[in-house]
Structures are given as C-alpha cells and as structure tokens.
Amino acid sequence: MDKKDLILGRLRGLGNGIIDDVERHTVPAIKVPSRGTSNIVYDDAKRYYVLGDRYGKRSLGNVKQIKKVAQMVSTANFCKGLVETQKTATIREMYYVSEGWDVDFGDQQESNLIGEDLEVTLGVTREDLGLMPEEDGAAVYGDLTVKDDDVEVNALKSGKSGYSISPTIDDVEFLDHGVERVIAVETMGMFHRMVQEEAYKKFNCLIVGLKGQAARATRRFLKRTNEELGLPVYICNDGDPWGFHIAMVIISGSAKLAHVNHELATPNAKFLGVTASDIVNYDLPTDKLKDIDVLRLKELYKDPRYHEDFWKLEIKKMLKIGKKAEQQSFSKYGLEYVVEKYLPEKLDAMES
Amino acid sequence: MDKKDLILGRLRGLGNGIIDDVERHTVPAIKVPSRGTSNIVYDDAKRYYVLGDRYGKRSLGNVKQIKKVAQMVSTANFCKGLVETQKTATIREMYYVSEGWDVDFGDQQESNLIGEDLEVTLGVTREDLGLMPEEDGAAVYGDLTVKDDDVEVNALKSGKSGYSISPTIDDVEFLDHGVERVIAVETMGMFHRMVQEEAYKKFNCLIVGLKGQAARATRRFLKRTNEELGLPVYICNDGDPWGFHIAMVIISGSAKLAHVNHELATPNAKFLGVTASDIVNYDLPTDKLKDIDVLRLKELYKDPRYHEDFWKLEIKKMLKIGKKAEQQSFSKYGLEYVVEKYLPEKLDAMES
C-alpha cells in the first residue's frame, strides 16, 4: 500500500467511525490522544519525547465540544481533497478556506490546534495530510542528487546558495550521493563560509544551513540522511543556550511535537560545537551571558534531553565562565580558520 | 576595465589620497558624502531617493575622528584582500576579524556604519567590496538559466522551492530565459501556491518569493531582470501598509540606502495588489486596521515615493474602510482562485 492510500485510509477511518456510531445509535465521539504536559514523556530508549497512552474524547454529546468535532471533520475532509489531488495548502490558506464552512475558525491559533489534533488522532504528520508550514527548510550544498517533482537536482549544481529543502521534502527521493557525513551550521553566514572554503570537499560532506531554529522539513531531511543514507550528522551552532537548543531539538525533538518526534528526531546526530570548552581552548571573542542566557542554561541543565555527561559539563562550564560565543567568532584568526583548524580538530576528536 | 580592477582602483585611490596628503605635509583627511536626512533627496526624474552633494571630512587632525579614519582604512585594506582573492565575508565576520586590528570595533553597529561609510565614499556597493549580508535572497521559479559559480542552473529545474538568490547575485550571469514577465509575491506560502497552480506557465513568468522585506540581493535581481532582460516586474503583496512598503522599497529604494539606490531600485516595477479596492471588489476576509497600521498608512501618504494618484487613492480608501487583507485570503474562494481569477484580471487591467 502506498502512502497516499494509507493516509486516505486513516481519513476515511475517522469518518466511518462517526457513521458507525450513528448507525449503532450511540453518540458520535472521536478519541484524541492527550497532548497535555503530563502525557509527554522522555523515552530513554528512543532518546526523544513521546506521548503517553492517555487520551480524551471529543463527543457530540458535549455541547462545548460540538464545534471542535465539526471543525476536525471539516479539516479532515479538506485534507482528503488535498491528498486525493496531490496538492498542498499552507495552514494559513486552510484558515481562510474555513470561511466557507459553517464552523469557520475564529483565529489562526484555533486552526493550528485542530491541525495538531488531526495529526495526533490519525498518527500521521500534518505534511502527510497536505498541510504545509509557510517557511522553507534549510539550504543544502554538496554531492547529493535528489528527485524533486520529476526533476533531478544535484545540490552541488544548484548555485552558491545550494538546494532549498521545500516543505514537501517527504515527496523528494534521494537518488545518489558521494559524501561521508552531514555538517549542519546555524547561520547562512557560516554556510557561505563553508562553501567558499570548500568544506564540502575537505570533509566530504553535505553542508546544511539551518537558518536558525530548524524547520520541520529540515529535521525530516536530516533524519532521512542519517537513517536512510546512513550518514553521521553533526551540528555546529553558536556557543550559547539557544545554539545548544537548536541542536537538541534536531537530536531529541520538542515536547510540543511529542506525537510526531518519531518522524522528526535524529537521536544519532551529534553536537559539534561551539562549546564552553571551545571558548576557553580557542580563546574566542565572547559576549557576557545575559540574565536570560543564565536562566535558559539552568533550564537546559534540568531538561531530560541534556542528561549526558557531556552536556552537564559544558552547561556548568558556560555558567562558570559567564560567557558565550558565536560560530563566526573564529574569524578572529582569519576567515579560513574555522574550516582549516577548528572543524578538523573537532571532527578528529569525535570520530576517533 | 573589469569590475574587480575598478573596485581595486577605488580602494587604492583611498589609500593614495592619504599618502599624498602626508607627502604634501597636509593633515590626511577623507571626504565622506553626508548621509544625514537633510542630504537625502527624492529625485523625481530618477524616481528614487538619492544623496545630495553635501559631504563631511574625516581628518586625522581631529582627535575625535582618528579612530574612525583608522577603522575606514583597516576595513578598506581588509576588503582589498577579499576582492583580490575573490572571497567574501559577512559583516559579522569582519566585526570579529577586527579583533586583530589596533582599532577594533566596539560593536556590530560601529562596523556596519563604517561599511556604509566606505560604500558612499568609494561609490560602490558593500557587496562589490566583498562584504555580504547574512541572509540569502528570494526564491525564483521559472524558465531562467543562470551561470552561478561556473555551474549552469535553470530555475525550473532546481526543485519545488526554486533557485535561491545568493548574496553574490552580481557575480551571477543571466544566460537565457523564456519568460515574458516577473511576478514577485510576499510570502513563501503564496510562492508555493503559484508553483502548484502552474502560474509560471499560465502567465509565462518567473515567480519570485520575497520572504517579507526584500534582501538587497533580491532587489538587485529584480532590477537586473527589469533592466538587463527588459522584463516587466510586478509585485503582489499583502494588502496592508507593510505589504505596500515592501513593494515600494523595491520600486523606489529606501532613504537609508540613498547612496546605493541606483544599484537597487527598480522604478519601473509595478504594484499588482492586494489593494483596498481589491478588498472591496473581491469581498476578501479582512482584519481590522490596528492603530499602528493607521499611523503607518498616514506616514506613507506623506512619503514622496507614494506621490502617484493610484497610491493616494488606495491609501485613503484603506483608511476609510479600516480593513486590511492578506494575499492568502483569496483562498476563501478555493486554493486555485488567486491564479485562475484574481491575477489574470489584475494583469489584464495593468497590461492593457
């Protein structure tokens, strides 16, 4: 059974459940797995957040829930149309499409939540249902050939800014590659530095420019390079709590998306820096930690995703030195330094 | 003389001027055209902001200016290295590189200003000097073939998210195209809608996804499609003061960059919507104007760039109806509507 049939089957299942209830003269209701914090659990074996087995019921017998049930069914029906015609819509577009329904959404927040309810109820991702986020994913540079919409694209021949991961990355087929690893960097400034210094040759890698917090499409892409292509994935971000956490969400997923982390998290991905130790060892230009940085580091310290000794040590060290540093601060030693000295030393240490 | 020689010539000129001063036993000084508001003028003939002819002097005879002069010369020297080796650096990297100078920058703001001083003094763009912004430009989809870094890229064969305009767009050569016009849209949501509904075929156009406020590279790209390829450029943004102004900065440039508007502005580009009239005529889903929207609309009304009757009418109308609408609000009539009905009607009206 191909994916399209699977998704359509799940959508029909939702509708048929309601019809069955009606025919059996019981009040129609939908079982929705709970996304409350008490039902979000860090799974030590899987190394990411998952949902527990608690769920709630949305029943037409409850006046307060009637509108939500109707919105879920309308949304499911809209998604069925998308999947059948192989189209996609942004969640913003769906919000406007709902103007034509009897149960239109009051605001974007409301339609987003129904989208997530549908994800968790059907056990598929929003993207599987044709509902796309607004933003594109990361930029990729290096020897990877993909089939995107019947066109073959090589990410070494897509221009200096590389191949853009589109929200529909799951429809993209990996055809061929000639690399040994993937190195993701936080900013496009560092991406262009890596391209210019030919890091893709030197490290025989794909370079991925995350553009800050990684989009869902980027996380899917990184997971697929790791699990489908068997490539090690390294993440090189700024040396501050925000850089750490951008990496950690790629590695262990977010609590908010616990119901889809199995599709998004890459537990084998590794943080390649910048660490507090790097700040000291490389004598990097720094900024003083702000109050909000300190607060955030203390939160991370208690977060189950940061349970490894490596993180405990680095977070404590950063709090002790009271300083943070950006990726681009290596330029103090010249533009080439990060590719010629820093990354080789770090990769050597991690891969030996 | 090729561009590289021209830029190197300008940089050497700056240094030689100082050497000449020393040899003639006069106090070295650099003439820097003034970027103060009183020296920024809207040029009716050119249809964008330009700098007037006032300038200031940065002199080594003035204690307060010694550091600035030294920073300008150090920056010029750094840029000379970039241009000679055909490398680029982000302005953030330059900030860190300055750590190795005797006159390092106190903060990013200080180094940005020196970058602009150098632009205006030498009469070239920052990008010509090898100093790049962090962010990439827009996404382009459609039948355009470019030569980017010795690789030929066709923007119809770069994947669903298209070809990314890199900060180094000026080094990219336009080889061939098969289109009649360029349509730029504000959001990537609308970009993907246009691609999915095959707007590039229907309107025989390039689709450009601006991603909000257009990056300098995007503005260069649009100017080049208009002036080098002779293509009409249309901009279809949200129907609110922010959407208007994203379009206007593409058309008539910004005051802040008056000294480089001749490289960035596309005075022939046209606003294709969403207008206040569209909101009424198409009965679009709207949001109420917020206080800040009203304030901004009143500012635009007085701005010389909005002198045309078209803008005067539409701004007044929007203030009167008190409502704004997003591009994606056309989805009320179905996802295809914007491509099948709205854009054809608007283009017909504008091109007839």
Side-chain angles (χ1 to χ4, degrees):
Chain A
M1 183 159 66
D2 77 356
K3 199 162 186 182
K4 185 178 160 181
D5 291 334
L6 177 98
I7 306 295
L8 286 175
R10 297 269 173 102
L11 285 163
R12 284 201 195 92
L14 184 77
N16 286 332
I18 292 174
I19 292 171
D20 287 350
D21 282 340
V22 171
E23 287 177 345
R24 281 185 287 128
H25 300 287
T26 59
V27 178
I30 302 172
K31 274 168 77 167
V32 182
S34 162
R35 288 182 287 130
T37 44
S38 62
N39 200 38
I40 294 171
V41 202
Y42 183 78
D43 186 315
D44 288 322
K46 289 180 176 157
R47 292 178 288 159
Y48 52 77
Y49 280 114
V50 296
L51 279 195
D53 47 17
R54 298 229 313 262
Y55 60 89
K57 263 196 174 178
R58 296 268 167 78
S59 167
L60 287 181
N62 182 331
V63 176
K64 278 199 222 151
Q65 295 175 347
I66 291 177
K67 191 172 177 191
K68 274 215 163 154
V69 173
Q71 285 174 336
M72 264 182 91
V73 173
S74 299
T75 302
N77 190 48
F78 174 68
C79 290
K80 183 163 154 272
L82 290 177
V83 177
E84 279 171 347
T85 55
Q86 294 189 287
K87 284 205 177 183
T88 65
T90 64
I91 45 179
R92 191 81 189 140
E93 284 175 316
M94 185 180 74
Y95 165 72
Y96 284 116
V97 165
S98 84
E99 293 255 329
W101 303 347
D102 290 329
V103 285
D104 61 316
F105 298 113
D107 57 29
Q108 178 77 57
Q109 176 67 7
E110 204 177 329
S111 58
N112 287 357
L113 282 175
I114 292 288
E116 288 180 10
D117 282 348
L118 213 54
E119 273 188 316
V120 67
T121 304
L122 302 178
V124 299
T125 65
R126 217 168 58 189
E127 288 84 350
D128 288 336
L129 298 169
L131 294 179
M132 298 293 150
E134 276 283 326
E135 82 277 16
D136 272 353
V140 182
Y141 195 93
D143 185 13
L144 171 72
T145 307
V146 299
K147 195 170 161 194
D148 185 346
D149 217 11
D150 293 328
V151 176
E152 282 190 22
V153 186
N154 183 288
L156 210 51
K157 294 172 185 161
S158 302
K160 278 205 191 86
S161 290
Y163 166 73
S164 291
I165 298 171
S166 77
T168 50
I169 186 66
D170 265 320
D171 299 331
V172 170
E173 200 182 330
F174 290 163
L175 292 181
D176 196 18
H177 74 88
V179 299
E180 289 173 48
R181 56 182 71 78
V182 179
I183 302 180
V185 295
E186 186 170 335
T187 64
M188 286 307 285
M190 184 56 77
F191 174 91
H192 287 297
R193 173 62 43 223
M194 301 270 284
V195 171
Q196 252 177 62
E197 306 303 332
E198 301 192 333
Y200 54 98
K201 283 189 197 165
K202 194 171 172 79
F203 308 121
N204 202 14
C205 69
L206 298 181
I207 303 165
V208 174
L210 296 172
K211 308 182 186 179
Q213 182 73 54
R216 285 169 64 130
T218 306
R219 286 148 73 186
R220 275 300 291 162
F221 176 85
L222 291 172
K223 185 180 182 69
R224 288 184 59 197
T225 59
N226 180 247
E227 297 180 3
E228 220 176 291
L229 305 179
L231 298 170
V233 171
Y234 299 99
I235 307 160
C236 186
N237 285 358
D238 286 345
D240 60 38
W242 320 99
F244 292 171
H245 207 59
I246 287 172
M248 187 53 85
V249 166
I250 291 170
I251 297 169
S252 287
S254 66
K256 190 176 170 294
L257 295 182
H259 58 292
V260 283
N261 277 340
H262 59 285
E263 300 272 10
L264 297 179
T266 308
N268 296 323
K270 297 252 177 309
F271 185 73
L272 188 66
V274 177
T275 62
S277 301
D278 291 337
I279 291 177
V280 176
N281 297 340
Y282 291 89
D283 190 20
L284 294 178
T286 54
D287 286 309
K288 233 176 131 279
L289 289 181
K290 292 182 186 157
D291 290 349
I292 185 135
D293 296 322
V294 171
L295 204 72
R296 188 74 185 124
L297 282 169
K298 287 179 178 167
E299 279 174 9
L300 298 188
Y301 193 84
K302 283 184 264 172
D303 187 312
R305 289 168 287 186
Y306 291 83
H307 63 85
E308 288 173 20
D309 290 344
F310 162 79
W311 284 115
K312 296 285 181 208
L313 276 168
E314 289 298 339
I315 293 172
K316 266 201 270 189
K317 196 165 197 170
M318 185 164 282
L319 285 167
K320 197 175 156 206
I321 63 175
K323 285 171 184 168
K324 57 183 179 176
E326 291 181 345
Q327 296 182 301
Q328 300 195 34
S329 63
F330 290 103
S331 320
K332 172 187 171 185
Y333 302 111
L335 298 175
E336 302 79 9
Y337 187 88
V338 67
V339 171
E340 287 186 358
K341 285 285 288 180
Y342 175 72
L343 286 174
E345 287 175 6
K346 293 281 284 196
L347 274 173
D348 259 10
M350 295 188 78
E351 295 193 341
S352 65
Chain B
M1 183 159 68
D2 77 356
K3 198 161 187 183
K4 185 178 160 180
D5 292 333
L6 177 99
I7 306 295
L8 286 175
R10 298 269 173 101
L11 286 162
R12 285 202 194 93
L14 184 75
N16 285 333
I18 292 174
I19 292 170
D20 287 349
D21 282 340
V22 172
E23 288 178 344
R24 280 184 288 129
H25 300 287
T26 59
V27 176
I30 302 172
K31 273 169 78 167
V32 182
S34 162
R35 289 183 286 128
T37 43
S38 62
N39 200 37
I40 295 171
V41 201
Y42 183 78
D43 186 316
D44 288 321
K46 289 180 175 157
R47 292 178 289 158
Y48 52 76
Y49 279 115
V50 297
L51 279 195
D53 48 17
R54 299 230 313 261
Y55 61 88
K57 263 194 173 180
R58 296 269 167 78
S59 166
L60 287 180
N62 182 332
V63 176
K64 279 199 222 151
Q65 295 176 347
I66 291 177
K67 192 172 177 191
K68 276 217 161 152
V69 173
Q71 286 175 334
M72 265 184 90
V73 174
S74 298
T75 301
N77 191 48
F78 174 68
C79 291
K80 182 161 155 274
L82 291 177
V83 177
E84 279 171 347
T85 56
Q86 293 189 288
K87 284 204 177 184
T88 65
T90 62
I91 45 178
R92 191 81 189 142
E93 284 176 316
M94 185 180 75
Y95 165 72
Y96 284 117
V97 166
S98 84
E99 293 255 331
W101 303 347
D102 291 329
V103 286
D104 61 315
F105 297 113
D107 57 30
Q108 178 77 57
Q109 176 65 7
E110 204 178 328
S111 58
N112 288 356
L113 282 175
I114 292 289
E116 288 180 11
D117 282 348
L118 213 55
E119 273 190 316
V120 66
T121 303
L122 302 178
V124 299
T125 66
R126 215 168 59 190
E127 288 85 351
D128 288 336
L129 298 169
L131 294 178
M132 297 292 150
E134 278 282 328
E135 83 277 17
D136 273 353
V140 182
Y141 195 93
D143 186 15
L144 171 72
T145 307
V146 300
K147 196 170 161 194
D148 184 347
D149 217 10
D150 291 330
V151 176
E152 281 190 22
V153 186
N154 182 289
L156 210 51
K157 295 173 184 159
S158 302
K160 278 206 191 85
S161 290
Y163 167 73
S164 291
I165 299 170
S166 77
T168 51
I169 186 67
D170 265 320
D171 299 332
V172 170
E173 202 182 326
F174 290 162
L175 293 181
D176 195 18
H177 75 88
V179 299
E180 288 173 49
R181 56 182 71 79
V182 179
I183 302 180
V185 295
E186 186 170 335
T187 65
M188 286 306 285
M190 185 55 76
F191 174 90
H192 287 297
R193 173 62 41 223
M194 301 271 283
V195 171
Q196 254 177 60
E197 307 303 332
E198 301 191 331
Y200 55 98
K201 282 189 197 165
K202 194 170 172 77
F203 308 121
N204 202 13
C205 69
L206 298 181
I207 303 166
V208 174
L210 297 171
K211 308 181 185 180
Q213 182 72 58
R216 285 169 64 129
T218 306
R219 286 148 72 184
R220 275 299 292 163
F221 176 86
L222 290 172
K223 186 180 181 68
R224 288 185 58 198
T225 59
N226 180 247
E227 296 180 3
E228 223 177 289
L229 304 180
L231 297 170
V233 171
Y234 299 99
I235 308 161
C236 185
N237 285 357
D238 286 345
D240 60 38
W242 321 98
F244 292 171
H245 206 60
I246 288 173
M248 186 53 83
V249 167
I250 293 171
I251 297 169
S252 287
S254 66
K256 189 174 171 295
L257 296 181
H259 58 294
V260 283
N261 277 341
H262 59 284
E263 300 273 10
L264 297 179
T266 309
N268 295 323
K270 296 253 177 306
F271 186 71
L272 188 65
V274 179
T275 60
S277 300
D278 291 338
I279 291 177
V280 175
N281 296 341
Y282 291 89
D283 189 20
L284 294 177
T286 53
D287 286 310
K288 233 176 131 283
L289 288 182
K290 292 182 186 156
D291 290 349
I292 184 134
D293 296 321
V294 171
L295 205 71
R296 188 74 185 123
L297 282 169
K298 287 180 179 167
E299 278 174 9
L300 300 188
Y301 193 84
K302 282 184 264 173
D303 187 312
R305 290 168 287 186
Y306 290 84
H307 62 87
E308 288 173 20
D309 290 344
F310 162 78
W311 284 114
K312 296 285 181 208
L313 275 168
E314 289 298 340
I315 293 171
K316 265 201 270 187
K317 196 165 197 169
M318 184 164 282
L319 284 167
K320 197 177 157 205
I321 62 175
K323 286 172 183 167
K324 57 184 179 177
E326 293 181 343
Q327 295 183 302
Q328 301 196 34
S329 62
F330 290 103
S331 320
K332 171 188 174 187
Y333 301 111
L335 299 174
E336 302 79 9
Y337 187 87
V338 66
V339 171
E340 288 186 358
K341 285 285 288 178
Y342 174 72
L343 286 174
E345 287 175 6
K346 293 281 285 196
L347 274 173
D348 259 10
M350 294 188 77
E351 295 193 340
S352 65

